[in-house]
Amino acid sequence: MLLPRVIPILLLSGRGLVKGEGFKKHRYVGDPINAVKIFDAKEVDELIILDIDATRENRIPPLELVQKVADQCLMPFGVGGGIRSLADARRILSAGAEKVCLNTAALENPALVTELAENFGSQSVVVSLDVKKRLLGGVEVCTRCATKGVSRDPVETARRMEAAGAGEIMVHSVDRDGKMAGYDLALTRAVAEAVDIPVIAAGGAGSPGDLRLALTEGKASAAAAGALFVFHGRRRAVLISYPSREELAEIRGA
């Protein structure tokens, strides 16, 4: 049985890393390659890099950056942002990424998920479900950086993505993103119990205890976080961090 993973998420905007709250209010937090080097030295389980401008700008993440990341690290990493075709995914994977992470394209065109799975294997395809609360109650799955609602049923959407060929589902709580107040465990658990593929919890981690809860109460196969691994202290000073081996064993319950 594979050990549960703890995964830093890096958000790319332009040539720099940023972090915000609720997919908004992004601030610069550093150089992506420097961050990758630090995470590699800390022997992280896996890394996810998401270009938050790519879909809006109708492009894929910079291939030269993907190649630099691949050259700098031994850890597996996935890349997302603006990937809309087989050719786009092939370019990202050929540049050195192990996985592509889809949101808008997958939900608007599930056939793309199937096509990628058939060509590269399901293990290379991650679909992110960005979920936020609706003003009148309930939740909705969103695309285009959480600006467009496409479904009011995350569980049914996750099942459709699994049936299409996704190898993993990332459940990202938009409302909790960057606030470091804990994951939406009920949402993560509902999706995890509905599919047979790994589920990654994202959005809200503020402590190692939150990571553990995502894996236990949330039933996730992996706990991903952004702010937790790039900010330190009440003033949110930028400091790249990652749990020690002892902390990881406690998080995993090993």
Side-chain angles (χ1 to χ4, degrees):
M1 181 178 178
L2 294 176
L3 285 174
R5 292 160 291 151
V6 174
I7 305 174
I9 296 178
L10 298 179
L11 302 183
L12 183 69
S13 180
R15 298 291 171 169
L17 294 181
V18 298
K19 190 69 191 86
E21 289 186 16
F23 287 29
K24 299 176 182 178
K25 302 177 183 178
H26 292 99
R27 59 175 276 205
Y28 177 79
V29 295
D31 176 76
I33 298 303
N34 286 342
V36 167
K37 288 179 179 178
I38 295 171
F39 280 128
D40 188 55
K42 293 180 179 295
E43 299 181 341
V44 307
D45 294 332
E46 190 173 324
L47 193 65
I48 294 176
I49 302 171
L50 304 177
D51 188 323
I52 64 173
D53 301 323
T55 295
R56 176 172 49 82
E57 296 176 355
N58 195 31
R59 61 169 176 79
I60 62 174
L63 291 176
E64 65 272 20
L65 177 63
V66 178
Q67 291 168 340
K68 285 182 180 179
V69 171
D71 290 342
Q72 292 293 336
C73 70
L74 297 175
M75 61 198 164
F77 68 97
V79 174
I83 299 167
R84 303 192 63 86
S85 68
L86 178 67
D88 287 345
R90 179 173 285 115
R91 293 168 72 191
I92 294 294
L93 295 172
S94 295
E98 279 77 17
K99 301 176 183 180
V100 290
C101 188
L102 308 177
N103 169 248
T104 299
L107 296 173
E108 294 181 354
N109 178 25
L112 175 62
V113 177
T114 304
E115 185 178 24
L116 298 186
E118 289 175 346
N119 280 270
F120 307 119
S122 292
Q123 78 285 345
S124 296
V125 185
V126 181
V127 173
S128 179
L129 303 185
D130 299 338
V131 183
K132 69 178 181 180
K133 294 178 180 178
R134 301 178 68 246
L135 290 177
L136 299 179
V139 298
E140 61 184 354
V141 180
C142 302
T143 61
R144 301 182 181 275
C145 290
T147 61
K148 180 182 179 182
V150 296
S151 168
R152 296 184 186 178
D153 191 340
V155 169
E156 185 273 335
T157 304
R159 285 173 173 155
R160 285 195 292 113
M161 292 299 100
E162 179 183 30
E168 287 185 282
I169 300 289
M170 182 160 68
V171 182
H172 202 148
S173 171
V174 177
D175 303 288
R176 293 172 178 262
D177 175 70
K179 296 181 179 178
M180 303 179 71
Y183 294 100
D184 187 333
L185 298 174
L187 171 65
T188 303
R189 183 170 58 250
V191 173
E193 290 178 342
V195 299
D196 293 322
I197 56 178
V199 168
I200 304 169
S207 69
D210 288 333
L211 301 175
R212 178 162 172 74
L213 286 174
L215 302 175
T216 53
E217 292 188 23
K219 303 294 182 67
S221 298
L228 177 62
F229 298 138
V230 298
F231 292 140
H232 175 73
R234 294 176 60 185
R235 296 182 181 274
R236 291 198 170 198
V238 175
L239 176 67
I240 302 296
S241 65
Y242 189 74
S244 66
R245 291 186 179 181
E246 292 76 18
E247 290 172 322
L248 284 173
E250 186 173 344
I251 289 166
R252 294 168 174 151

